[in-house]
Amino acid sequence: MNKLPKKNIPGTQLDVSVLGLGTVKLGRDKGVKYPESFTIPNDEAAITLLQQAWDLGINLIDTAPAYGNSEQRLGELLPQLPYDWIICSKAGEQFDAATGESHFDFSRDAIIRSVEQSLQRLNREMIDILLIHSDGNDVPIIEQHRALETLNELKQQGLIAVTGISSKTVDGGLLALQQSDIVMVTHNLAYQEEQIVIDTAEQLNKAIFIKKAFASGHLPANSTKDSVIASFEMIFANPAVASVVVGTINPVHLADNVAKAIAAIQNS
């Protein structure tokens, strides 16, 4: 089977696979919005999944402090698979396992502390990609808290290679494109309201990551073709899209997603 192609993040030396592996299910099973319940895999199953992802051509792993102990586990597991992984993590949202709830803090001190903790957990001296984990108030996060300015400071210090935001609004996405390298947006067959952010990224030669490409398991049925392939075709038609982050711990689903992404690219 063909491996996934890679795309360059403009202005960087990072070439990311067009599918990334989301790892919330490696570290958190409380307060997550999935249609079916799941069990967090043990280390052996997680290693097997990560090896499969690499063999299929995936080199991008997406994590966050809000994903329970995902960062900690990756920091322990990835050295057992010493490949050239590209890691995307986040700052701004923290998860409290005791209460099962998240809390947000976009202050300069909190973001710096969060990045330092992520570096320690991930066992790294630099995080490839660091995004602000928005609570939905994108514009105040950027303008009042100056969260992207803080990330760019850390970039200047060599702690981060690429900065951006996992945004939730059009205004926030557009604003972030002026101050950072990458914006992660929601885009799928059921929701395309952030298309202008994707188009603007292309004009500015910035990168886009896609989240919720399958509408968290609620894609509308397509009468003429597989809805996952149809969604990938729509997404990959946008040149600015560098990668689609898909969270799964199911090896069959992972292989299926990769095959359908390759099919969609070949169809375009």
Side-chain angles (χ1 to χ4, degrees):
M1 178 179 154
N2 293 332
K3 282 193 176 184
L4 284 166
K6 294 180 173 62
K7 289 189 73 170
N8 176 256
I9 295 176
T12 79
Q13 296 181 326
L14 295 182
D15 295 326
V16 295
S17 50
V18 296
L19 276 195
L21 181 66
T23 60
V24 61
K25 290 182 178 180
L26 290 187
R28 174 178 170 182
D29 59 2
K30 295 179 180 177
V32 288
K33 300 171 184 175
Y34 293 103
E36 298 175 5
S37 61
F38 63 93
T39 301
I40 294 175
N42 61 23
D43 285 357
E44 183 181 0
I47 282 280
T48 300
L49 184 81
L50 291 164
Q51 180 67 61
Q52 178 194 12
W54 182 266
D55 290 342
L56 291 169
I58 293 174
N59 70 346
L60 174 65
I61 295 180
D62 179 78
T63 185
Y67 296 171
N69 67 342
S70 171
E71 285 186 318
Q72 185 74 39
R73 294 193 73 195
L74 289 170
E76 295 164 358
L77 296 174
L78 290 182
Q80 299 177 49
L81 301 169
Y83 308 133
D84 191 15
W85 297 103
I86 293 172
I87 295 182
C88 173
S89 194
K90 305 178 188 76
E93 179 181 355
Q94 299 282 340
F95 175 70
D96 187 335
T99 63
E101 296 179 353
S102 284
H103 67 272
F104 295 87
D105 189 340
F106 302 103
S107 67
R108 183 176 182 275
D109 288 348
I111 289 172
I112 291 172
R113 187 166 60 249
S114 177
V115 172
E116 289 173 345
Q117 290 171 345
S118 291
L119 286 163
Q120 188 173 20
R121 292 187 196 114
L122 290 164
N123 194 25
R124 284 198 157 208
E125 295 181 358
M126 172 190 274
I127 297 176
D128 302 296
I129 303 164
L130 205 294
L131 308 178
I132 295 297
H133 215 164
S134 174
D135 62 355
N137 297 299
D138 296 343
V139 173
I141 289 168
I142 297 168
E143 291 188 337
Q144 295 171 24
H145 295 287
R146 299 184 174 180
L148 290 174
E149 290 182 28
T150 303
L151 289 190
N152 287 330
E153 280 181 42
L154 298 174
K155 180 179 177 180
Q156 291 295 320
Q157 294 172 26
L159 300 179
I160 301 167
V162 171
T163 66
I165 188 170
S166 177
S167 64
K168 294 190 176 180
T169 66
V170 168
D171 288 346
L174 293 173
L175 194 59
L177 288 172
Q178 305 294 330
Q179 296 186 31
S180 62
D181 307 297
I182 195 163
V183 175
M184 179 182 271
V185 303
T186 298
H187 196 62
N188 57 59
L189 288 176
Y191 175 89
Q192 293 131 47
E193 294 175 27
E194 294 167 64
Q195 179 69 51
I196 189 173
V197 180
I198 300 172
D199 294 341
T200 303
E202 182 184 356
Q203 294 164 15
L204 297 175
N205 198 31
K206 299 291 179 77
I208 292 287
F209 280 180
I210 300 294
K211 57 186 173 180
K212 299 184 173 64
F214 307 146
S216 299
H218 302 288
L219 275 183
N222 187 303
S223 59
T224 58
K225 65 175 66 176
D226 182 281
S227 59
V228 172
I229 291 179
S231 199
F232 277 141
E233 286 178 355
M234 182 193 73
I235 289 167
F236 290 134
N238 296 283
V241 172
S243 190
V244 179
V245 173
V246 178
T248 185
I249 51 173
N250 184 316
V252 175
H253 289 171
L254 181 60
D256 186 59
N257 288 337
V258 169
K260 288 176 178 178
I262 291 171
I265 291 167
Q266 290 173 342
N267 292 344
S268 60

